Amino acid sequence: MERLNSKLYLQNCYIMKENERLRKKAQLLNQENQALLSELKQKLGKGNSSKGNAPNNIPDLNLCSTSNPNPAKSSKP
């Protein structure tokens, strides 16, 4: 029973470490997306100002995000 508990504990540690790695990667991708969106909005805004004020139909990606940028830290053993 103790061996099983140790095995499950190690698996849990691995999963938590992988989860943290993926969370950091998701944050970096989100930052990159936001920078690209900002750049796109600026370029379209400059183009729209010379063509009359056409509506800007770029969605706010933050509204669609399912990831939590500041997740609550779970207690680690």
Side-chain angles (χ1 to χ4, degrees):
M1 183 64 143
E2 194 162 319
R3 188 186 325 173
L4 176 63
N5 193 24
S6 295
K7 184 179 178 182
L8 291 173
Y9 174 77
L10 289 175
Q11 285 178 341
N12 190 37
C13 288
Y14 172 77
I15 290 169
M16 289 190 308
K17 188 174 184 179
E18 183 71 3
N19 189 27
E20 188 63 29
R21 183 187 72 80
L22 292 171
R23 181 179 289 119
K24 287 178 183 178
K25 187 174 183 177
Q27 286 175 337
L28 289 174
L29 289 171
N30 187 43
Q31 288 175 354
E32 182 180 358
N33 282 343
Q34 292 299 318
L36 290 170
L37 179 63
S38 176
E39 184 180 333
L40 179 62
K41 283 182 176 180
Q42 285 179 350
K43 286 182 180 181
L44 288 177
K46 288 178 183 176
N48 285 343
S49 64
S50 64
K51 296 177 184 177
N53 290 329
N56 189 352
N57 292 329
I58 300 174
D60 186 354
L61 295 180
N62 283 327
L63 299 176
C64 302
S65 177
T66 57
S67 63
N68 186 353
N70 297 317
K73 295 286 182 186
S74 60
S75 60
K76 295 182 181 178

